[in-house]
Amino acid sequence: MSLAPAWLRERRMLPDRWRDEHTRTLIAEDRAGESIGAGAMWTSRVHPDRYSVDLVVAPGHRRAGIATALLAALADLQPAPKPFIWGAAENDPAHEFVATLDARTIQRSPLNTFHTSRAVRLRPHDDVAPAAAVSRVALEQAWADMYEWTHADWHPMGPDARGALVEDLWDEIDPHLSSIAISATGAIDAVLLVFIDGGRPVVAGETVSRDTTAGTRLLEGSVRRTFDQLAERWVAETLLDAHETDPHFAPLFEALGPVTRWHRIVEFRP
């Protein structure tokens, strides 16, 4: 049984310095020694340029400057000054707090669940095949290439991040549900992976290059195949890990959605 108060149990607050000096956790207490707030910051091995941050304050102590104090204390612990990055549903009241810090929106992603039955709205493509049809090395390379360019403009990868990105990939995906588009030369032009390490499948991908010819059409065929495969396994709903700036995936949202709920990611300095 957890000894944490109810308001803290749903948050993943790891012990202070659980990995290194870039992973810090602080607890705010009242005069009686009771926990009334918590804050954590950490860097990603894939995206080391910013600190991810999470803050939570007990319901009876909100709007009293506790979150601001926790954030300032975390900033003081940074070995090197870096911006913070944080995200939540657009209707999350915490966006009002980060707005006071001049937070800048850097990305939005759909939060809706998508019905696999909507695959019939998309066209199949002859160049699309199961991801299991290619080698592990080839798929990892395609995934890393895709991930790098789709994040370059708003959350760039670190110089040595590719290994960390694909380190646990094969434990997280189903290569038979996942899809790729293969060119006449055998190159992978698009990759769409199905992550099955959570409660509900998550579909993510894009073209391997930003300037892939007929990229939206290749993504359309890839999504069609993957959604069909999910439906055959009686999976009625899935999530998308995609961005409104994805040039070939975003145009498909309307056919699959429409998107009515968004996750907004912001950057700010304390």
Side-chain angles (χ1 to χ4, degrees):
M1 178 181 295
S2 172
L3 298 179
W7 54 268
L8 186 55
R9 286 177 198 152
E10 295 182 359
R11 306 303 263 265
R12 186 171 177 262
M13 292 290 175
L14 294 169
D16 190 34
R17 299 180 187 268
W18 63 269
R19 192 179 68 207
D20 55 28
E21 70 275 12
H22 295 285
T23 50
R24 303 302 304 266
T25 300
L26 298 176
I27 301 294
E29 297 180 343
D30 63 13
R31 294 180 182 274
E34 295 293 326
S35 298
I36 57 174
M41 70 176 182
W42 62 96
T43 53
S44 162
R45 293 169 59 202
V46 177
H47 302 285
D49 63 318
R50 298 178 176 99
Y51 281 98
S52 295
V53 65
D54 190 19
L55 299 168
V56 59
V57 176
H61 297 271
R62 291 171 185 166
R63 299 185 183 277
I66 295 170
T68 302
L70 281 167
L71 196 61
L74 288 170
D76 287 342
L77 294 176
Q78 290 184 359
K82 298 179 183 180
F84 284 120
I85 186 171
W86 173 83
E90 283 198 322
N91 62 352
D92 191 312
H95 277 293
E96 297 178 13
F97 168 66
V98 296
T100 67
L101 304 170
D102 295 324
R104 176 178 68 93
T105 298
I106 58 175
Q107 191 55 271
R108 295 200 312 161
S109 301
L111 271 178
N112 296 62
T113 55
F114 293 85
H115 295 279
T116 55
S117 61
R118 300 220 171 173
V120 296
R121 299 183 176 188
L122 305 178
R123 296 168 294 173
H125 197 291
D126 291 341
D127 292 346
V128 173
V134 296
S135 71
R136 174 172 177 164
V137 171
L139 189 62
E140 289 178 350
Q141 178 70 42
W143 178 255
D145 288 345
M146 179 281 302
Y147 190 96
E148 185 167 20
W149 79 258
T150 55
H151 289 77
D153 296 336
W154 63 279
H155 200 18
M157 291 174 61
D160 302 312
R162 284 179 166 243
L165 178 67
V166 302
E167 184 175 67
D168 299 317
L169 189 65
W170 287 88
D171 296 327
E172 300 172 347
I173 68 168
D174 186 321
H176 301 282
L177 295 174
S178 303
S179 299
I180 54 173
I182 306 177
S183 71
T185 63
I188 301 176
D189 283 337
V191 57
L192 193 77
L193 299 186
V194 179
F195 289 81
I196 55 171
D197 56 326
R200 180 175 283 150
V202 178
V203 176
E206 242 290 355
T207 55
V208 173
S209 169
R210 187 189 299 265
D211 301 319
T212 299
T213 302
T216 301
R217 184 70 186 87
L218 293 175
L219 253 294
E220 180 182 6
S222 299
V223 175
R224 171 63 188 263
R225 180 195 172 274
T226 285
F227 272 43
D228 281 344
Q229 292 294 310
L230 287 166
E232 287 182 11
R233 294 199 188 182
W234 302 99
V235 177
E237 295 179 336
T238 186
L239 299 170
L240 297 185
D241 183 359
H243 317 111
E244 68 173 349
T245 57
D246 291 345
H248 309 116
F249 205 164
L252 304 177
F253 291 169
E254 188 66 26
L256 297 172
V259 178
T260 57
R261 298 174 59 238
W262 292 90
H263 179 88
R264 181 153 58 98
I265 303 170
V266 301
E267 176 193 83
F268 59 92
R269 292 185 179 274

